[in-house]
């Protein structure tokens, strides 16, 4: 019996040595495999920053009565106080997520013309953790810019570098291709409101008032001006100002149609009013 017990000791010792060696080897290989994983180094990279704005203002309350009187002269002509107050309030646009997009419409008839004003706020959110909300908003803005037949100034800041990290951006080459292949000349797009109302092919705006990019308005901005001659109707003008501030894109569309076919809406006057409103809205976001 004693011999049998002694014979078993070396076997137990050998087995224990194998188990300890296996555990030691497994622990070492585990550390090495964690370091070698492609995603392992990603833990040291901070995710893309969220946008500055998490909510949107109530658009129908963002335009003062004095501004509405100037842009929509038919409102002061309304004699009934209740109807006039309702006209000032505007009509909210249909939206399914007020944290992502909101808008407001005013459409007023006056003795000399009809006016339509629309403001739209869009808060852009990136669902790619490596692409910031600002970068994604810059892409959305760039699409609107190309649709107007315009391009960013050569010295304008872009978010292309940050966007490229996530593989979701459009490179400058792609922008150039889009302009060469599908962009229309300045003032050459069809006037279209965000509610889907389309018009016929427009005429070129007066010299010096052509569609163009704007400086000192948000992070980047542009203005479009379209004069349309509709069949059997008077000509009407649509002035659009779009600007981006961080991850929010603001669109203003201002339309005037005179009552007489021979009248032509004044381009400079409409552009000045639309830009004044844009400056006011941009100031609200900066606060």
């Amino acid at each position: 019996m004693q011999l049998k017990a002694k014979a078993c000791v070396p076997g137990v010792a050998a087995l224990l040595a194998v188990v300890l060696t296996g555990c030691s080897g497994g622990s070492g290989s585990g550390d090495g495999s964690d370091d070698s994983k492609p995603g392992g180094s990603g833990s040291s990279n901070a995710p893309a920053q969220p946008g500055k704005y998490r909510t949107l203002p109530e658009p129908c309350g963002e335009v003062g009565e004095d501004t509405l009187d100037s842009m929509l002269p038919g409102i002061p002509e309304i004699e009934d106080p209740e109807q006039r107050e309702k006209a000032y309030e505007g009509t909210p646009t249909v939206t399914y997520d007020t944290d992502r997009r909101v808008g407001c419409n005013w459409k007023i008839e006056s003795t000399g013309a009809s006016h339509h004003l629309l403001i739209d706020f869009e808060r852009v959110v990136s669902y790619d953790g490596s692409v910031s909300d600002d970068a994604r908003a810059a892409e959305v803005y760039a699409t609107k810019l190309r649709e107007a037949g315009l391009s960013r100034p050569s010295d304008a800041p872009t978010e292309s570098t940050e966007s490229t990290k996530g593989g979701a951006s459009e490179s400058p080459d792609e922008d150039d291709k889009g302009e060469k292949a599908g962009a229309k000349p300045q003032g050459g797009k069809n006037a279209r409101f965000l509610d889907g109302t389309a018009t016929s092919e427009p005429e070129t705006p007066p010299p010096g008032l052509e569609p163009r990019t704007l400086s000192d308005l948000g992070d980047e901005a542009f203005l479009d001006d379209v004069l349309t001659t509709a069949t059997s109707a008077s000509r009407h003008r649509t002035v659009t100002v779009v600007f981006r501030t961080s991850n929010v894109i603001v669109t203003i569309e201002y339309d005037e149609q005179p009552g007489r076919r021979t009248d032509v809406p004044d381009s400079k006057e409409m552009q000045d009013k639309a830009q004044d409103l844009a400056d006011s809205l941009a100031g609200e976001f900066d606060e």
Side-chain angles (χ1 to χ4, degrees), residues 53-56 99-101 121-125 247-248:
Y53 302 103
R54 303 296 183 90
T55 59
L56 291 170
D99 283 335
R100 291 292 304 279
R101 191 164 194 170
F121 300 150
E122 179 181 3
R123 186 175 69 90
V124 179
V125 177
N247 62 315
V248 172

Side-chain angles (χ1 to χ4, degrees), residues 27-43:
S27 175
S29 63
D31 292 341
S33 62
D34 287 345
D35 291 341
S36 63
K37 289 180 180 179
S41 61
S43 60

Side-chain angles (χ1 to χ4, degrees), residues 87-268:
Y88 280 125
E89 292 174 356
T91 303
T93 57
V94 177
T95 182
Y96 299 99
D97 186 350
T98 55
D99 283 335
R100 291 292 304 279
R101 191 164 194 170
V102 290
C104 193
N105 269 296
W106 292 264
K107 189 169 184 179
I108 305 296
E109 300 286 340
S110 68
T111 54
S114 63
H115 294 84
H116 178 205
L117 174 63
L118 168 65
I119 59 174
D120 178 85
F121 300 150
E122 179 181 3
R123 186 175 69 90
V124 179
V125 177
S126 171
Y127 293 102
D128 186 335
S130 61
V131 179
S132 70
D133 292 346
D134 280 23
R136 179 60 187 140
E139 295 174 8
V140 175
Y141 170 85
T143 298
K144 294 178 180 293
L145 191 68
R146 289 195 302 274
E147 289 175 348
L150 297 169
S151 59
R152 280 191 173 106
S154 59
D155 59 345
T158 66
E159 303 289 344
S160 58
T161 302
E162 184 176 358
S163 300
T164 303
K165 294 179 181 179
S169 69
E170 296 174 334
S171 68
D173 289 342
E174 289 173 335
D175 285 349
D176 292 340
K177 290 177 183 177
E179 290 170 20
K180 292 177 181 177
K184 298 180 179 179
Q186 294 185 354
K189 76 178 184 64
N190 286 335
R192 182 179 294 275
F193 281 113
L194 295 177
D195 59 10
T197 304
T199 65
S200 61
E201 193 67 19
E203 299 176 4
T204 304
L209 297 172
E210 296 88 350
R212 60 197 181 276
T213 56
L214 303 173
S215 60
D216 301 326
L217 178 58
D219 295 324
E220 48 188 344
F222 71 88
L223 179 148
D224 196 10
D225 187 323
V226 175
L227 178 64
T228 304
T229 303
T231 304
S232 302
S234 61
R235 285 179 285 183
H236 69 277
R237 185 180 300 280
T238 302
V239 172
T240 304
V241 176
V242 179
F243 70 88
R244 179 181 71 85
T245 174
S246 185
N247 62 315
V248 172
I249 296 175
V250 179
T251 301
I252 298 169
E253 291 182 347
Y254 181 38
D255 181 276
E256 178 181 330
Q257 181 168 355
R260 296 186 301 178
R261 295 184 60 185
T262 55
D263 292 343
V264 178
D266 186 88
S267 183
K268 186 179 186 306

